[in-house]
Amino acid sequence: EDQVTQSPEALRLQEGESSSLNCSYTVSGLRGLFWYRQDPGKGPEFLFTLYSAGEEKEKERLKATLTKKESFLHITAPKPEDSATYLCAVQAGETSGSRLTFGEGTQLTVNP
Amino acid sequence: EADIYQTPRYLVIGTGKKITLECSQTMGHDKMYWYQQDPGMELHLIHYSYGVNSTEKGDLSSESTVSRIRTEHFPLTLESARPSHTSQYLCASSELYSGANVLTFGAGSRLTVL
């Protein structure tokens, strides 16, 4: 059974204080690992897809990395507008139509 | 801008009422999904469709039903709502990038059953 565990559950940072969020996963045949951002009362917004170990992707203050067992979302010099819940999901299986399994998310709060 | 639309955004109804949550997408995606999300919890897949006249139940058992008569439309229906159905319902559609499904979500429908 595919499993995704995110840590910490909640993270409070001061503006400019860099940190990382963790996503540990167990899947059979990873097709893709996804990071989403979710603001309160809204649907998740796509950030990144990572396909293989060693891959990295960046977008503004966010950088996602992938190993064979986990992914990190690094946040450099965060701003209050980065406050949101960050969700990790994996797609596994041999067929490209496989469903996604989501973690519970990390709730990030950035104080000014 | 979002290309997947959900209505209503918020709904408060009494027990026993029939409700339909609407979901439409303008991207021409074949695959569409319904997820249920409680506060602070992960998303659970309750229904999915890989095309017109194709619907399947997801990982989380749900008393709701879905239909897919048109590519762009994927409504979810509860015949008799109960307080246990109170939750946020998220609709999504997806397309393939390098063999992986990238989901685009709607803004969600928050249902409260009294």
Side-chain angles (χ1 to χ4, degrees), chain B residues 52-79:
Chain B
V52 171
N53 294 324
S54 158
T55 60
E56 301 287 345
K57 290 188 179 296
D59 304 316
L60 181 67
S61 176
S62 174
E63 294 167 344
S64 58
T65 59
V66 292
S67 63
R68 190 86 183 278
I69 299 173
R70 304 197 313 267
T71 297
E72 63 271 22
H73 195 213
F74 192 39
L76 181 146
T77 298
L78 275 168
E79 290 293 334

Side-chain angles (χ1 to χ4, degrees), chain B residues 6-22:
Chain B
Q6 292 187 239
T7 57
R9 289 292 317 280
Y10 304 93
L11 181 62
V12 181
I13 60 170
T15 296
K17 299 292 185 182
K18 177 181 179 179
I19 64 109
T20 296
L21 304 180
E22 302 287 350

Side-chain angles (χ1 to χ4, degrees), chain A residues 36 38 41 51 91 97 99, chain B residues 9 37 48 50 59 97 101:
Chain A
Y36 285 84
Q38 186 174 24
Y51 297 96
Q91 180 190 342
R99 293 90 58 86
Chain B
R9 289 292 317 280
Q37 184 182 34
Y48 63 99
Y50 285 168
D59 304 316
Y97 285 107
N101 277 322

